[in-house]
Amino acid sequence: MEKTEDIEAFVEKVIDMRRLQKEFFRTRRYPAMEAAKKAEKVVDDLAARLRRSLGEAQENAQPELFGGADA
């Protein structure tokens, strides 16, 4: 998946999570809490995946373009 698609998916999942959280706080019902918690897990997992992906992209960049510490 491209980074743009990952970011779009992340934004959609965050919007869904916030909707579910608001539903829980409005109703204080157990099923709403469970749904919100599941959505939070999805968002957390996707955020970790994006962070790893961005970290790999930074590692693949040329961090020592002008010699770095060895120059």
Side-chain angles (χ1 to χ4, degrees):
M1 202 187 281
E2 287 185 29
K3 284 184 181 48
T4 302
E5 292 172 353
D6 286 344
I7 293 169
E8 289 173 359
F10 180 74
V11 169
E12 290 300 317
K13 295 297 182 184
V14 169
I15 290 168
D16 188 47
M17 178 189 72
R18 292 294 297 137
R19 180 185 58 76
L20 291 167
Q21 288 172 333
K22 288 176 183 178
E23 175 70 15
F24 167 68
F25 287 115
R26 188 174 57 76
T27 64
R28 301 288 185 180
R29 301 189 89 195
Y30 184 78
M33 181 185 72
E34 286 295 307
K37 287 174 67 173
K38 286 179 185 178
E40 288 172 6
K41 171 92 171 90
V42 169
V43 167
D44 290 345
D45 292 346
L46 189 51
R49 191 172 110 204
L50 281 171
R51 176 176 258 170
R52 283 191 305 275
S53 175
L54 292 172
E56 291 169 6
Q58 290 175 355
E59 288 174 9
N60 292 333
Q62 297 177 352
E64 297 182 26
L65 186 60
F66 297 106
D70 297 326

